[in-house]
Each structure stands twice: as C-alpha cells, then as structure tokens.
Amino acid sequence: MKGKRKRYKRWMSSLMTALLLISTFLPSGLIGKAHAEQADHVVISQIFGGGGNTGAPYNKDFIELYNPTDLPVDL
C-alpha cells in the first residue's frame, strides 16, 4: 500500500509542477501586442511623482506631454 501511495504522490507532484509551469508561461504567449493608434491630440508620455521626498535622488515631480501631430496645439 505504501508503494502505491508514493507513486500517487510522485505522479500528483509531477502533474502539479507541469500545470504550474504551463499556467506560468502559456498565457504570456497568448497575449497579443497592443497597437497604439496615432492620436490627434496631446498625450501624456511620462509621469514622475516620486520627487520631493527626503533623500530622493530626483526631487522634482513632472508630467511629460507629447504632441504626435504636425500642428501646434494650445494647452
């Protein structure tokens, strides 16, 4: 009886390991790439809000705007 239980545990452990590996790597391969449309307005390119803290290497907060159009835009 102990031999059957050991085989069952080993088989179950292998099965769970395989399922864990499949569930870890399979979804990342199925996710499609995001395609950004060309915007016709100003978009936020970057945001940094961690500045101003004591000992922070960068002490200024900022928001970077990007104009993907060829025309000037009033803010």
Side-chain angles (χ1 to χ4, degrees):
M1 193 70 171
K2 285 186 178 182
K4 286 184 181 182
R5 186 172 288 174
K6 265 188 173 178
R7 269 189 264 141
Y8 175 76
K9 282 186 174 182
R10 188 178 307 153
W11 184 83
M12 203 56 147
S13 176
S14 299
L15 177 67
M16 293 306 263
T17 302
L19 287 175
L20 178 66
L21 287 172
I22 289 171
S23 66
T24 301
F25 296 113
L26 184 62
S28 63
L30 295 177
I31 296 173
K33 293 182 180 179
H35 298 284
E37 297 293 327
Q38 183 68 21
D40 59 351
H41 56 278
V42 174
V43 295
I44 297 174
S45 176
Q46 292 182 3
I47 297 176
F48 179 74
N53 299 331
T54 304
Y58 304 108
N59 60 4
K60 306 290 184 211
D61 298 338
F62 71 88
I63 296 175
E64 181 179 284
L65 302 176
Y66 174 67
N67 181 8
T69 67
D70 294 333
L71 305 171
V73 176
D74 288 331
L75 297 176

